[in-house]
Amino acid sequence: MESIKWTKAYVAPTYSRTEITIEKGEGYVVFDDTGKRYLDFTAGIGVNSLGYQHPEWVAATQNQLSQLQHISNLYYTHPSAQLAQKLCTRTGMANVLFVNSGAEANEVAIKVARKYGHQKHPDKHKILTLNNSFHGRTVTTLSATGQDVFHKYFDPFTKGFDYVQTNDIADLLDKVDDTVCAIMIEMVQGEGGVIPLETEFIEAVSTASIQHDCLLIIDEVQTGIGRTGKLYAYEHYNLKPDIVTSAKGLGNGLPIGAALLGEKVKDVLEPGDHGSTFGGNPVVSAGANVVLDTLTDEFLDQVTKKGDQLKAQLLAVEGVQSVSGLGLMIGVTFDSYTAKEVVEQAKDAGILFLTAKEKLRLLPPLIIDEQAIEEAVSCINHIMNTKVGVS
Ligand SMILES: *Cc1c(COP(=O)(O)O)cnc(C)c1O
């Protein structure tokens, strides 16, 4: 109880929180301070990819803690070197810059794009993003975010962004020209309501980026690290991104962000152009190495399979109106229920879900199993039935 009281008294009120204090996690369940068990379909908003107390991840981070917790980027360390090598080998990207969050990874992408553009032509600095996108909470990533609700209170915002209607090829072609240095997209808009981009639109973005020599930036902060059944969601399509940003699931709960840079831009940033005190932290990196090692092809196939199962079972529930998403990133709407109502009732029944815009959003740890899927679907089924009974 104290934690709720003190948080309300002493923590700045920027979040609307649920009145639960989480004390412990195990696999895909968490426990509150009264010992109540919750099935976790939030994974800390897509972060705890391997769930809680994953043995190898715990061992790797604890072992690294007992060796070296931090040293500046004026020196080398094993864990971040290994992590960079793994990320590049698995994606074919050329090099990586480590930071601490998704917004910071996008800041790196934006800085690289601006410098790349300026090297081509002094006027080449416009960045196109999509309507309904979400790219972070720093002033510049808020500017990149294509939603008016985020463009208030903090002006003047960073200039040089324009917004393309999502999945609207005509609007894209209208707005792209040689002053554009980058187009930045999410393969599935997460915060925007679990909305996947259409294949034709993705192809048009890729073609436009080549025609106008602008960088293709893919924000994989939420979609990356196995969430959609591939290491990165762009791998579902025939795409060659210039920059991929990664964060949430990469650290399995410890803060990390990474901007993966392709051949074309690997040397754009030079010494002094960017930096981060904590970037590439050895403890975080040691854990992230375990995350990548765990995400084998077989593991990723299982994510796809579990995602398909979950989607099919949800669609079969009477009262479910639509199911969207890829892999274990799923959005659901209901005939006669708001997502908020479902979250509230499911919480009482012992399952944690998220919302995204009007949708119920499911982002379980990637290690969930059939039993967890059945428990979640049967809970939603039960909620739907209760409503039918009432009306
Ligand atoms: C969460 C998110 C971000 C911001 O990440 P932070 O770590 O909160 O800064 C950026 N882009 C996308 C697509 C996200 O889902």
Side-chain angles (χ1 to χ4, degrees):
M1 281 299 120
E2 299 281 86
S3 61
I4 294 178
K5 198 172 92 192
W6 289 352
T7 300
K8 286 183 174 171
Y10 300 117
V11 176
T14 63
Y15 302 100
S16 51
R17 300 179 200 257
T18 306
E19 304 263 317
I20 304 174
T21 301
I22 303 291
E23 227 168 44
K24 187 183 158 116
E26 251 176 54
Y28 50 71
V29 301
V30 294
F31 299 91
D32 73 9
D33 59 351
T34 69
K36 179 168 172 170
R37 167 198 185 270
Y38 297 90
L39 179 60
D40 178 21
F41 266 60
T42 72
I45 317 192
V47 167
N48 303 322
S49 38
L50 306 185
Y52 305 89
Q53 298 188 44
H54 185 276
E56 282 96 40
W57 182 84
V58 170
T61 50
Q62 284 183 344
N63 178 51
Q64 183 57 43
L65 257 179
S66 67
Q67 298 284 319
L68 175 81
Q69 85 278 25
H70 170 82
I71 195 75
S72 75
N73 280 310
L74 303 176
Y75 306 96
Y76 297 87
T77 64
H78 290 307
S80 75
Q82 272 172 354
L83 183 60
Q85 191 268 349
K86 278 178 193 164
L87 284 168
C88 290
T89 308
R90 298 235 348 217
T91 58
M93 301 299 277
N95 61 23
V96 184
L97 191 51
F98 291 120
V99 286
N100 316 287
S101 67
E104 284 175 86
N106 286 336
E107 289 271 350
V108 171
I110 290 163
K111 282 176 81 170
V112 170
R114 286 274 164 84
K115 193 174 174 196
Y116 174 85
H118 290 146
Q119 286 170 346
K120 302 274 162 172
H121 192 280
D123 293 335
K124 194 174 178 67
H125 51 236
K126 194 188 284 177
I127 296 175
L128 298 181
T129 65
L130 300 187
N131 234 278
N132 199 46
S133 56
F134 181 79
H135 296 298
R137 297 284 192 164
T138 62
V139 172
T140 293
T141 56
L142 281 177
S143 305
T145 293
Q147 301 187 48
D148 289 340
V149 289
F150 289 104
H151 300 161
K152 40 181 203 187
Y153 310 135
F154 312 116
D155 57 301
F157 284 97
T158 307
K159 285 190 245 167
F161 289 92
D162 200 359
Y163 315 100
V164 172
Q165 208 61 43
T166 300
N167 287 326
D168 185 338
I169 296 176
D171 195 39
L172 169 73
L173 298 180
D174 194 41
K175 287 178 176 149
V176 69
D177 61 26
D178 289 344
T179 68
V180 173
C181 66
I183 310 176
M184 178 154 148
I185 58 174
E186 297 158 88
M187 303 309 297
V188 182
Q189 292 179 337
E191 303 305 311
V194 199
I195 299 170
L197 295 191
E198 288 164 10
T199 307
E200 297 73 32
F201 183 74
I202 294 165
E203 279 163 5
V205 168
S206 169
T207 307
S209 74
I210 293 162
Q211 271 171 358
H212 294 279
D213 188 16
C214 53
L215 304 177
L216 176 56
I217 302 174
I218 311 212
D219 178 345
E220 295 256 14
V221 169
Q222 191 162 148
T223 51
I225 312 300
R227 178 55 56 188
T228 72
K230 300 272 187 192
L231 183 59
Y232 288 105
Y234 76 82
E235 297 166 31
H236 289 285
Y237 305 90
N238 180 27
L239 280 183
K240 213 173 171 310
D242 297 298
I243 306 177
V244 176
T245 58
S246 192
K248 291 193 168 91
L250 179 56
N252 191 40
L254 293 179
I256 185 169
L260 283 60
L261 307 174
E263 202 57 42
K264 208 192 282 182
V265 293
K266 68 177 196 252
D267 296 320
V268 168
L269 295 184
E270 296 163 289
D273 282 347
H274 200 66
S276 165
T277 298
F278 295 115
N281 172 275
V283 177
V284 182
S285 298
N289 276 312
V290 173
V291 173
L292 287 185
D293 290 346
T294 307
L295 267 54
T296 58
D297 287 347
E298 300 79 64
F299 184 96
L300 294 171
D301 287 345
Q302 284 301 312
V303 170
T304 303
K305 216 175 113 197
K306 290 184 282 194
D308 289 347
Q309 261 173 13
L310 184 50
K311 272 201 248 181
Q313 292 187 27
L314 285 167
L315 270 172
V317 172
E318 203 175 329
V320 166
Q321 187 179 58
S322 74
V323 177
S324 65
L326 267 180
L328 286 173
M329 178 173 183
I330 295 175
V332 189
T333 61
F334 306 93
D335 290 334
S336 50
Y337 256 107
T338 67
K340 275 210 175 80
E341 289 170 330
V342 174
V343 167
E344 192 55 31
Q345 292 205 24
K347 177 202 75 182
D348 295 339
I351 306 194
L352 303 179
F353 290 116
L354 295 161
T355 60
K357 292 278 166 70
E358 305 311 314
K359 287 186 188 166
L360 186 77
R361 178 169 44 154
L362 285 66
L363 292 176
L366 306 179
I367 49 120
I368 56 155
D369 56 19
E370 261 170 55
Q371 213 179 319
I373 290 172
E374 261 160 44
E375 192 179 332
V377 173
S378 112
C379 170
I380 290 174
N381 193 23
H382 183 75
I383 294 171
M384 296 298 119
N385 284 330
T386 323
K387 183 84 163 206
V388 172
V390 167
S391 58

